[in-house]
Amino acid sequence: MKISTIILAAGKGTRMRSKYPKVLHPIAGEPMAWHIIQAVKEFSDELPTVVVGYKAEEVKDSLGDNAHFVLQNEQKGTAHAVQQAEDLLKGNSDIVVVLLGDMPLIKGQTLKALTETQKNNTGPVSMLTVLSENPRGFGRISRNKKGQVEAIIEEADCTSEQLKINELNVSVYCFQADWLWDNLENIPVSSKGEFYLTDIIKVATDKGLNVHAEAISDPQEAIGINSRVHLSEAERIMRRRINQTWMEAGVSIIDPQTTYIHTNVKIGQDTTIYPNTHLQGNTIIGEDCEIGPNTTINNTCIGNNCKIISSVLEYAKVENHVDIGPFGHLRKGAHLADGVHMGNYGEIKNSYIGPGTKIGHFSYLGDTTTGKNVNIGAGTITANYDGVNKNKTEIADDVFIGSDTMLIAPVKIGKGARTGAGSVVNKDVGEGEVVVGMPARAIRRRKDNSE
Ligand code: UD1
Ligand code: CA
């Protein structure tokens, strides 16, 4: 059976009080609507159709190739929104799933189970409900004496008796496709002048057709985001889910309450994450690492056996057995090879740092390459920017840079060379040469790398 999916996302989301479309607000680092598209992949091979309206171009740009889009020019209600997808989908599928762009916690397996239910339903629709004492403005499910669903009544239209109903409409429906397309136009206009998809339930029951409604087992999945308060609730629930998944996969998380892992992050076995750590974007962390506390790692790839304490890493690459921090900052293009040690207050940007190199204390290396086993003394600075250009510093293997050295780029330091404390190096230094002073001048040649 072919299943197509419609995600309604044309509304403004007024209660968010935002310049941005509601469905693009992120949960665990990705737009709300992105999470729903991921869930759809678990039961359908077809790209979902997203109904866009408010700031349609922004929504399309953000979701890109992951969906088809249809435009709802005027927001005349959820049934009118579904109608906008009719030309694209009619005749193409057996089942149509309709859900909302503002329910990022709904799980693929829940949706899949509902599609299975509908396959066996002789009636035209199966839908999800939620049992909750907190109505959150949801529509109420009205059942007859036999317990069969009769209608969904929007909160604004409820009598005081109906307001007490604790079975609520989640807004996830699974329709027999032909029936949906034939009956959308039978929906009457609501008291607010809109066409509500909820009213299609009564269209079915008035004809004596079976509506299957089942309560969702985890009410958290049903949360619809209408405000920033709901957004933070969803973020917390998603965080708990993600952290649990990683713990089950063999990652230790000391304090899941204060560990913030984005949805696309990957973490290796036996790595430990300490409190107040943020792992963001497409970050990948290897095995047996210790990460945090107080660390933010964004779009960075880290190998195995690394230790990162109280540091910020962005768009960087770190190989194996590297230790950073406290208070290190890797900026875009920093690449630390195996065994690099980077102590307090280091900053590295657009640089390759060779294996075994040590940068112990407060240094800035920008647009630099170093060879193997270089020692960068405390307070070393590469002066890479002359006000116009960013210039390169090249430091060969086994160089010893003395404390407080200024390397005025462009400059090259030859293999095994040494700079004295406080040198200001504005000319290339030859292999094995020892330079001191300001500007640095040669005083002798090093016999080995120890002097
Ligand atoms: C809707 C349901 C309600 C349910 C609740 C669950 C209706 C009439 N009500 O109410 O029964 O309990 O969801 O969260 O369906 N949209 C469009 N075009 C429109 C109108 C809405 O695309 O013309 C989209 C919105 O962008 C939003 C979704 O449909 O993503 C739902 O609209 P919203 O106004 O948030 O409906 P609720 O009041 O939450
Ligand atoms: Ca809503």
Side-chain angles (χ1 to χ4, degrees), residues 273-320:
I273 315 283
Y274 290 90
N276 196 23
T277 292
H278 302 252
L279 306 178
Q280 303 171 332
N282 294 314
T283 289
I284 300 174
I285 295 173
E287 299 187 359
D288 298 293
C289 293
E290 291 180 43
I291 308 291
N294 307 320
T295 292
T296 298
I297 302 179
N298 182 2
N299 283 293
T300 289
C301 185
I302 296 175
N304 301 325
N305 297 96
C306 292
K307 194 170 176 174
I308 320 279
I309 303 173
S310 296
S311 292
V312 176
L313 282 58
E314 312 165 88
Y315 294 90
K317 182 173 163 66
V318 173
E319 296 189 32
N320 306 305

Side-chain angles (χ1 to χ4, degrees), residues 7-13 15 22-23 36 50-54 72 74-82 84 99-103 130 135-141 152-155 168-173 190 192 194-199 222-226:
I7 301 172
L8 307 186
K12 186 162 186 262
R15 287 165 284 178
K22 175 163 79 173
V23 295
I36 299 158
V50 179
V51 182
V52 291
Y54 179 70
Q72 185 192 25
E74 255 184 290
Q75 277 77 66
K76 292 196 233 163
T78 42
H80 179 256
V82 170
Q84 309 311 305
L99 67 172
L100 309 182
D102 66 358
M103 42 168 63
V130 57
R136 300 173 74 98
F138 279 23
R140 309 296 202 274
I141 308 295
I152 303 170
I153 306 153
E154 287 306 291
E155 189 172 82
L168 314 171
N169 176 33
V170 174
S171 265
V172 173
Y173 316 86
S190 76
K192 283 211 182 132
E194 292 189 1
F195 294 92
Y196 290 162
L197 186 60
T198 45
D199 287 335
I223 289 182
I225 314 288
N226 295 324

Side-chain angles (χ1 to χ4, degrees), residues 290 302 304-309 311 313 318-326 328 330 336-344 357-360:
E290 291 180 43
I302 296 175
N304 301 325
N305 297 96
C306 292
K307 194 170 176 174
I308 320 279
I309 303 173
S311 292
L313 282 58
V318 173
E319 296 189 32
N320 306 305
H321 295 280
V322 171
D323 78 283
I324 300 176
L330 297 189
L336 277 50
D338 283 356
V340 168
H341 160 73
M342 180 174 166
N344 332 253
T357 290
K358 294 184 170 48
I359 307 157

